[in-house]
Amino acid sequence: IYSFMLCVEVMKQQDEISDAEWQFFLRGASSLEKVGVRKFTLRNFSTEFVIVSLGKQFVENPPVDLANLYNDMSPSTPLIFILSTGSDPMGAFQRFAKERGFESISLGQGQGPIAEKMILEALKSGQWVFLQNCHLAVSWMLAMEDWILIHDTSIHKDFRLFLSSMPTKVFPVTVLQNSVKVTNEPPKGLRANMRRAFTEISTSFFEDHVLGRQWRKMTFGICFFHAIIQERKKFGPLGWNIRYEFNDSDRECALLNLNLYCKDGIIPWDALIYITGEITYGGRVTDAWDQRCLRTILKSFFSPQTLEPDYSFSTSGIYYAPETDQLEDYKKYIESLPIIDDPEVFGMHENANLAFQRQETMTLISTILDVNPRSSAQHGAKSNDEIVCELAESILLKLPGKRAQTETNNVRIFVSILYENDRLNSLTTVLGQETDRFNNLLRLLRKAIAGLVVMSEEMDRIYTSFLNNQVPTHWSNSAYPSLKPLASWVKDLTLRTSFIQTWITLGQPKSFWISGFFFPQGFLTGVLQNHARNYNLPIDELNFRFKLPEPEDGVLVHGMFMDSCRWDDDNMVIEDALPRVMNAMLPIVHFEPQRNYVPEPSLYHAPLYKTSVRAGTLSTTGHSTNFVVTVMIPSSRPSDYWISKASALLCQLDD
C-alpha cells in the first residue's frame, strides 16, 4: 500500500491525476494510520477511488425491477438477461409472469426449429416467449431477428420476447442493439445472500407447515448452506477447486424437495441429505475433493443436529437459526448479521482472508499491467528493448549448457543396471523419462530466446511477458504446471535440472524432492512397481502408507508444503496454521507401499497438488491432472474440521 501511495505521489507531481483524486489518496493515507495496514485492503482502496472519481452508483448493484424493465420493451424490442455465475433470472421471471401465459425453451442442438414454431405462434396470439441459454445457439439468433422484422407489421401488441445468454463474443450485435439489456449479479456476502433468499420466500410457505419450528429451521439451514457455498468461491482454491455455477434455482429446487418429502410431518433425513448433497447441488460438482467438501459443509447446516435448541453454525455463536416462528423475525435477524463475513463461519482459518485479499490484489495488478501502454525510455533510462535483451541473456546463462544436456543422456547407461531377478529398476525408467522431458524444455527455451522457432506474434507475446515478469504462454504450455513469476520460474527450473543431474551423476538420492519432478505421478507409480516386483505382488493391490521413520521399503520424499494447516513437531499431528503463515513446510515423509492397506480412521486424507490453483483437466481417473496423490496425515481432530478448511499439500508455492 505504501509503495502504491508513493507511485500516486509521483503521478501527482507529473499532473497525471486530478485534485479530487489526490484528496482521496490523502484520506486513504489517513485511514491507513487509523485502522492499520492489516485491515485496510487494496479492495477498499480501489472502491473509494471509484466512488470519488465516478460516483457511488458505480460500486452498488441497483435492484432489478422487471415491472420497470417491461415498460421499456415493445413487441419488436426483446429483453436480454445477461447471465452471470451464481444468478438465474428464471425464478424472478416466473413470479413476474405468473398471471400471463408464457412459453419457455432452453436452446441447444436441435432446439432451433422448436423455438421458431413457438415464436411464430406467439407473434399471432400475443403470448410471451422466454428463450434461455441463447449463447448455445448464436448462429440462430440472426434468423430469429429476421422473422421478427418480417412480421413487424403483424405482430400482436401483447407479444413480448425474453432472452437469456452468458457473455459471448459471437452474439449478434444487431440483436443487442435492438434490445433492452439487464444483468442480475449474485449478491455478495452472507447477509445479502440470505436477504435475497428470504425476500423470495412467502409467508405461507415459511409459517404454515405441519412441522412447525423444525420446518423453519430446516428452511433457514438450506438457505444458509446455499449462501455459504456461494461465498466460498471468493476464497479461490481454498473454497472450491473449481468455481461452480450454483444459482438461485438450486436453492428453490432444494426447498421444493424439502416441502415434498416433509408434507406428511416426517423428516426422512437420509433421503433429504442424499438428494440435496448428491443431486441438487452435487450434480454440478465434478471434482472428487469438492464433492467431499460439499458433503461436509451440508452436515453442518442441514442435519438432525441443526434442529437442537442451542445449535449454532459457527463457533462464535453469531450465526444460528432463531428460536422464533415469524418470517419477519427471521428477516430482522438477517439484517443484524455482520456485513463482513469472518472466515470462521466457513470453517476456515483467519489466513483465508489474507489469501482472498492477495488474490484480488494480484488480479488488479495483472489487469493494470495488461492495459498499461508501452513507453519509451526517458532521462537516460533503459528502453524496453534493452531490458528484454538483458533479461533473455541472463536467463540463457542460468540454463544448463549444451554440455550438461549431453551428459544427461548418460542416463541410458543406468538403464542397463538390472535387479538380481533380471528386472529393470522402475525408478531408473522414471529418471530417463524425466531427463527427456527436461531436455525437450531446455531446447525449446534456448531456441525461443534466440528467436529461432517462434512467429512474430508469439515473439511479441514473449516480449510483453518479459516486461511483466511473467512466464510466456509458449513456454508454460511445454513445461510443468507452475504459477511462479518469470524470475522465480527460471530459478526453480535450474533447481529441478540440478536435481535430475545429481541423480544421474551420484545415483539415487536418499530422499526424493517430489516438487522437482516433471510428472510426480509417474515417480510414485515407479515406487509401487519396484515394490510389486520385489515381493511378487499385484500392483493394483498396493497403496501407500505414510510415516516418518527410516524406510526399509518405499522411498523418503521431501519438498511438500502445507496449505491451511501446519505440522506440529511436538505432538506429531496436523494443526491449525499460525497467523499470517500461509504455507508451512511438511517434514520428510516415508512413502511405504502396503498391500490392501486400510488407513486408520484418525488419519486425515490430504490431497497433494502440483500448484496452489488445484484445478486442472479432468483425467480418466476422475481426478484433476493437478492432483498427485492422497497423503494420510495424523490428526487429533475430526477430518471434517480440515475438510472445511480445505487443508491440502502443495508441491510448490506461487513464488
Side-chain angles (χ1 to χ4, degrees):
I1 294 294
Y2 284 117
S3 300
F4 187 51
M5 291 293 295
L6 182 60
C7 294
V8 172
E9 187 172 355
V10 174
M11 292 169 64
K12 173 61 177 174
Q13 293 173 357
Q14 297 178 356
D15 296 328
E16 295 180 10
I17 60 175
S18 65
D19 291 337
E21 292 169 339
W22 174 245
Q23 293 301 320
F24 151 70
F25 285 117
L26 290 181
R27 291 203 309 273
S30 176
S31 300
L32 281 174
E33 296 175 359
K34 292 180 180 178
V35 304
V37 177
R38 182 181 178 187
K39 294 183 180 180
F40 195 87
T41 66
L42 190 56
R43 183 185 187 185
N44 301 335
F45 214 79
S46 56
T47 301
E48 284 294 326
F49 178 74
V50 172
I51 293 174
V52 170
S53 303
L54 302 176
K56 192 174 182 180
Q57 66 271 24
F58 286 93
V59 297
E60 293 182 345
N61 293 330
V64 177
D65 188 351
L66 288 178
N68 290 335
L69 293 172
Y70 177 78
N71 296 330
D72 296 330
M73 298 178 64
S74 72
S76 59
T77 304
L79 173 67
I80 300 181
F81 292 99
I82 302 174
L83 302 176
S84 58
T85 303
S87 180
D88 184 4
M90 189 60 184
F93 173 77
Q94 287 176 328
R95 287 188 292 274
F96 172 69
K98 63 181 179 181
E99 297 179 359
R100 299 281 313 203
F102 75 92
E103 295 285 342
S104 67
I105 185 174
S106 181
L107 295 182
Q109 186 175 4
Q111 296 296 93
I114 302 175
E116 178 182 351
K117 181 180 178 182
M118 187 183 297
I119 292 176
L120 291 176
E121 292 177 354
L123 289 172
K124 300 175 182 178
S125 64
Q127 202 171 27
W128 290 3
V129 175
F130 191 167
L131 304 181
Q132 302 180 66
N133 302 322
C134 293
H135 58 282
L136 300 179
V138 290
S139 60
W140 182 78
M141 289 288 101
L142 289 174
M144 176 207 70
E145 186 183 37
D146 291 340
W147 298 329
I148 296 177
L149 293 175
I150 291 173
H151 297 81
D152 192 18
T153 56
S154 60
I155 297 178
H156 194 286
K157 64 182 180 63
D158 293 331
F159 170 76
R160 295 294 185 274
L161 179 63
F162 298 84
L163 312 172
S164 70
S165 173
M166 292 293 289
T168 174
K169 296 180 180 179
V170 293
F171 199 92
V173 176
T174 54
V175 178
L176 290 174
Q177 291 174 337
N178 299 322
S179 62
V180 178
K181 282 80 65 179
V182 62
T183 182
N184 188 16
E185 295 184 352
K188 293 184 178 180
L190 291 178
R191 187 173 75 169
N193 209 307
M194 292 295 291
R195 184 192 295 133
R196 172 183 283 193
F198 272 74
T199 300
E200 299 175 356
I201 293 177
S202 65
T203 303
S204 59
F205 179 85
F206 188 74
E207 297 180 0
D208 303 335
H209 197 278
V210 64
L211 286 174
R213 187 167 294 181
Q214 287 184 324
W215 166 258
R216 289 179 275 281
K217 283 191 172 184
M218 288 191 295
T219 303
F220 187 85
I222 285 287
C223 295
F224 208 93
F225 165 73
H226 178 85
I228 287 289
I229 63 174
Q230 282 276 54
E231 288 302 304
R232 280 182 71 99
K233 287 188 287 188
K234 75 177 185 179
F235 296 108
L238 291 180
W240 301 106
N241 288 355
I242 301 172
R243 294 177 66 90
Y244 302 103
E245 297 183 8
F246 300 118
N247 53 49
D248 295 344
S249 61
D250 296 325
R251 183 187 63 239
E252 293 176 5
C253 182
L255 291 175
L256 290 175
N257 283 331
L258 180 63
N259 188 34
L260 176 65
Y261 279 83
C262 297
K263 62 182 179 180
D264 297 328
I266 301 174
I267 308 175
W269 278 114
D270 290 342
L272 287 172
I273 291 174
Y274 182 83
I275 290 174
T276 305
E278 304 294 336
I279 300 176
T280 304
Y281 287 95
R284 295 186 182 274
V285 180
T286 56
D287 187 274
W289 299 103
D290 285 339
Q291 290 172 348
R292 181 182 73 162
C293 184
L294 182 74
R295 289 192 294 266
T296 301
I297 297 171
L298 183 62
K299 284 191 295 185
S300 300
F301 298 94
F302 189 64
S303 61
Q305 62 181 354
T306 61
L307 303 183
E308 297 175 1
D310 298 327
Y311 184 83
S312 62
F313 299 131
S314 65
T315 54
S316 65
I318 298 175
Y319 301 90
Y320 58 89
E323 296 289 341
T324 182
D325 299 325
Q326 303 298 319
L327 178 61
E328 288 301 319
D329 292 337
Y330 272 83
K331 290 182 178 180
K332 290 179 181 177
Y333 165 72
I334 291 171
E335 293 302 323
S336 69
L337 294 177
I339 298 177
I340 300 176
D341 307 317
D342 195 273
E344 60 100 15
V345 70
F346 301 98
M348 292 182 168
H349 192 269
E350 63 182 77
N351 286 348
N353 257 349
L354 296 178
F356 164 60
Q357 293 164 6
R358 185 174 186 270
Q359 173 186 310
E360 282 205 327
T361 303
M362 294 306 296
T363 302
L364 176 61
I365 293 175
S366 298
T367 304
I368 293 174
L369 287 174
D370 289 339
V371 301
N372 187 40
R374 295 179 183 174
S375 59
S376 59
Q378 296 180 358
H379 306 297
K382 292 181 180 178
S383 66
N384 288 343
D385 291 346
E386 291 174 331
I387 294 173
V388 170
C389 288
E390 289 185 5
L391 185 56
E393 290 176 0
S394 66
I395 293 175
L396 202 55
L397 290 174
K398 292 177 182 177
L399 296 178
K402 292 184 178 180
R403 179 181 177 185
Q405 182 178 325
T406 304
E407 290 177 352
T408 57
N409 291 327
N410 292 334
V411 71
R412 304 296 174 222
I413 300 174
F414 290 90
V415 176
S416 62
I417 301 176
L418 303 178
Y419 270 30
E420 293 180 359
N421 54 1
D422 294 334
R423 289 176 178 171
L424 289 174
N425 185 338
S426 296
L427 293 185
T428 303
T429 304
V430 171
L431 176 58
Q433 295 169 348
E434 289 290 314
T435 302
D436 289 339
R437 293 187 183 104
F438 278 108
N439 280 342
N440 291 335
L441 175 59
L442 293 174
R443 279 193 293 268
L444 170 68
L445 297 186
R446 290 195 191 90
K447 292 181 179 180
I449 292 174
L452 300 177
V453 295
V454 292
M455 303 298 290
S456 59
E457 182 180 358
E458 191 62 53
M459 179 62 76
D460 184 68
R461 292 174 185 165
I462 294 177
Y463 185 97
T464 304
S465 298
F466 273 31
L467 291 176
N468 295 338
N469 192 28
Q470 297 171 343
V471 181
T473 305
H474 184 63
W475 298 6
S476 58
N477 288 342
S478 302
Y480 44 84
S482 178
L483 302 177
K484 295 179 180 293
L486 180 61
S488 300
W489 187 84
V490 172
K491 180 180 179 181
D492 179 63
L493 175 60
T494 57
L495 291 174
R496 288 170 182 255
T497 53
S498 176
F499 165 67
I500 297 297
Q501 182 69 26
T502 303
W503 187 354
I504 293 172
T505 55
L506 301 181
Q508 183 170 307
K510 291 186 177 180
S511 178
F512 290 88
W513 181 36
I514 195 168
S515 306
F517 287 98
F518 218 106
F519 187 60
Q521 295 96 319
F523 160 69
L524 297 176
T525 301
V527 174
L528 292 177
Q529 200 169 43
N530 269 350
H531 188 83
R533 289 172 175 174
N534 275 348
Y535 296 96
N536 292 320
L537 299 174
I539 192 172
D540 58 344
E541 294 182 4
L542 293 179
N543 291 313
F544 281 115
R545 182 174 67 177
F546 306 90
K547 57 181 184 177
L548 299 180
E550 186 72 23
E552 295 180 2
D553 296 306
V555 292
L556 292 177
V557 171
H558 68 277
M560 292 179 285
F561 300 89
M562 308 186 75
D563 201 10
S564 296
C565 56
R566 67 178 174 89
W567 178 255
D568 185 354
D569 284 326
D570 296 330
N571 299 312
M572 301 295 285
V573 293
I574 185 176
E575 262 303 341
D576 275 329
L578 297 175
R580 306 184 72 80
V581 179
M582 303 301 295
N583 300 106
M585 179 72 76
L586 183 68
I588 295 177
V589 178
H590 174 202
F591 282 53
E592 182 184 26
Q594 291 281 312
R595 186 177 186 182
N596 296 325
Y597 172 60
V598 179
E600 293 81 357
S602 61
L603 296 177
Y604 170 60
H605 294 219
L608 173 63
Y609 296 100
K610 296 178 184 177
T611 66
S612 64
V613 74
R614 302 193 184 189
T617 306
L618 196 65
S619 65
T620 54
T621 62
H623 289 293
S624 161
T625 51
N626 206 342
F627 169 78
V628 179
V629 71
T630 305
V631 180
M632 317 296 179
I633 305 179
S635 172
S636 58
R637 303 175 187 266
S639 291
D640 289 355
Y641 181 83
W642 303 112
I643 294 173
S644 298
K645 294 181 182 295
S647 299
L649 303 178
L650 305 176
C651 285
Q652 61 171 302
L653 303 182
D654 294 359
D655 196 1

